[in-house]
Amino acid sequence: MSEEADAHYVPKNIFLTGGAGFIGSHVAIKLCKKYPEYNIVVYDRLDYCSCLENLGELKGLKNFKFIKGDIATADLVTYALLEENIDTIMHFAAQTHVDNSFGNSLAFTQSNIYGTHVLLECAKNCPTIKRFIHVSTDEVYGEGEDFETDPMTEEHILEPTNPYAATKAGAEFLVKSYFRSFKLPCLITRGNNVYGPHQFPEKLIPKFTNQLMSGKKLTLHGDGTNTRNFLYVTDVAAAFETILHKGLPGHVYNIGGDNEVSNVKVAKTLLKIFGLEDKEDEYITYVPDRQFNDLRYTINSSKLHELGWTEEMSWEEGLKTTVDWYKEFTSRYGNIENALVAHPRMLDPIQPESVTTDLGK
């Protein structure tokens, strides 16, 4: 039995940044409902890709609280950490869309590097912090050279190829430095592409789903052969539950699945779900590729499997469940037309004011 498998950390008060967004909202929901003895404080500035409706099912729960604020606002972060007696930080807040990073990369530096630095500094000065879980991405490894490349382990060198991935790698180095210099108990995760309910429609699967729902063509970048490993969001939430309780400070954990699928196959599978499999020529259009589009990412998640995590949702069932959700709930995002173009640019340069809003107590 590994050292990690024997460990078991029990948090009390969790500060979850970016919790009104995609993955963060699912983690908040899972922890709030499964562990009523944990207090979950979601901290989110409510950017364009997040919304409070993602947390609607937690409203009224005694162990849930929401604070509207930016992670770069040190005074508010510090106040929240001390006021809520936080012992655990789960840091999901980030700018994540690669297309946006080509158009406005400085906003990614501000959110992903500077914001993480502020959060680390606040955590360092908070005496009750026992865990700092930093959420990164498999994109920090860079492009898999070909389809014969061995899956990348946590020790692989970081070689990001786009501004988004570069800012996430930069943030990781800050996290590691605070672990080494200040003994801040940090862990890092690097995950595959995630899909499922609550994902803003700028990303591939919800974008294609919403394009089909509105009668638009599917806009495939390049020749559509680039592949990604897709993990369903509830499996990812379970991975974070495992890492929260069993992960060790100073360690990196890959979160990867077994559904490596090309973009063109994603398009064709969605057409089949919509009953349009015989209309591929009518509904698929190829558009210019990104300035640089990694061929594939492939990671080895055996370290996480040793902690007891396994992927449960099948690709087919997960995709159908996702489509059904968007058919019912896409309206929560308002006007998404700008997100459905071939190369969306969704960043809003105007940042919301940092205010505290209590929805849970």
Side-chain angles (χ1 to χ4, degrees), residues 203-223:
K203 299 295 179 72
L204 183 73
I205 289 174
K207 178 177 178 175
F208 281 2
T209 298
N210 280 275
Q211 284 176 333
L212 289 174
M213 285 166 52
S214 57
K216 292 178 167 56
K217 291 186 176 182
L218 303 181
T219 50
L220 271 171
H221 290 179
D223 60 7

Side-chain angles (χ1 to χ4, degrees), residues 20 25 27 89 256 323 340:
S25 64
V27 175
I89 295 173
V323 169
L340 302 185

Side-chain angles (χ1 to χ4, degrees), residues 224-241:
T225 59
N226 300 72
T227 70
R228 297 292 183 266
N229 252 303
F230 291 96
L231 265 175
Y232 191 69
V233 68
T234 55
D235 282 333
V236 176
F240 279 103
E241 176 192 14

Side-chain angles (χ1 to χ4, degrees), residues 122-285:
C122 295
K124 182 195 75 173
N125 296 323
C126 182
T128 57
I129 299 298
K130 297 178 181 178
R131 285 290 189 279
F132 186 112
I133 298 175
H134 176 71
V135 181
S136 191
T137 170
D138 60 0
E139 294 199 36
V140 298
Y141 292 123
E143 183 179 42
E145 296 177 3
D146 53 46
F147 288 95
E148 303 302 321
T149 303
D150 289 336
M152 299 175 187
T153 66
E154 289 84 353
E155 291 73 35
H156 194 281
I157 190 171
L158 304 189
E159 298 181 303
T161 59
N162 61 65
Y164 156 61
T167 61
K168 293 298 286 185
E172 282 198 29
F173 285 118
L174 281 168
V175 173
K176 289 180 178 181
S177 75
Y178 272 69
F179 172 75
R180 291 168 179 155
S181 295
F182 305 113
K183 311 304 179 186
L184 189 67
C186 300
L187 300 78
I188 294 172
T189 70
R190 298 176 184 147
N192 277 157
N193 280 41
V194 185
Y195 74 102
H198 301 184
Q199 189 172 35
F200 188 75
E202 65 189 357
K203 299 295 179 72
L204 183 73
I205 289 174
K207 178 177 178 175
F208 281 2
T209 298
N210 280 275
Q211 284 176 333
L212 289 174
M213 285 166 52
S214 57
K216 292 178 167 56
K217 291 186 176 182
L218 303 181
T219 50
L220 271 171
H221 290 179
D223 60 7
T225 59
N226 300 72
T227 70
R228 297 292 183 266
N229 252 303
F230 291 96
L231 265 175
Y232 191 69
V233 68
T234 55
D235 282 333
V236 176
F240 279 103
E241 176 192 14
T242 299
I243 291 166
L244 170 65
H245 293 116
K246 297 183 179 181
L248 290 180
H251 285 243
V252 179
Y253 297 93
N254 285 339
I255 305 175
D258 296 319
N259 300 310
E260 185 170 5
V261 184
S262 68
N263 291 344
V264 68
K265 184 175 180 181
V266 172
K268 290 180 178 180
T269 305
L270 285 169
L271 284 172
K272 185 176 181 180
I273 291 174
F274 276 83
L276 300 170
E277 61 266 39
D278 59 341
K279 296 184 178 181
E280 289 181 11
D281 292 340
E282 181 180 343
Y283 277 94
I284 293 180
T285 183

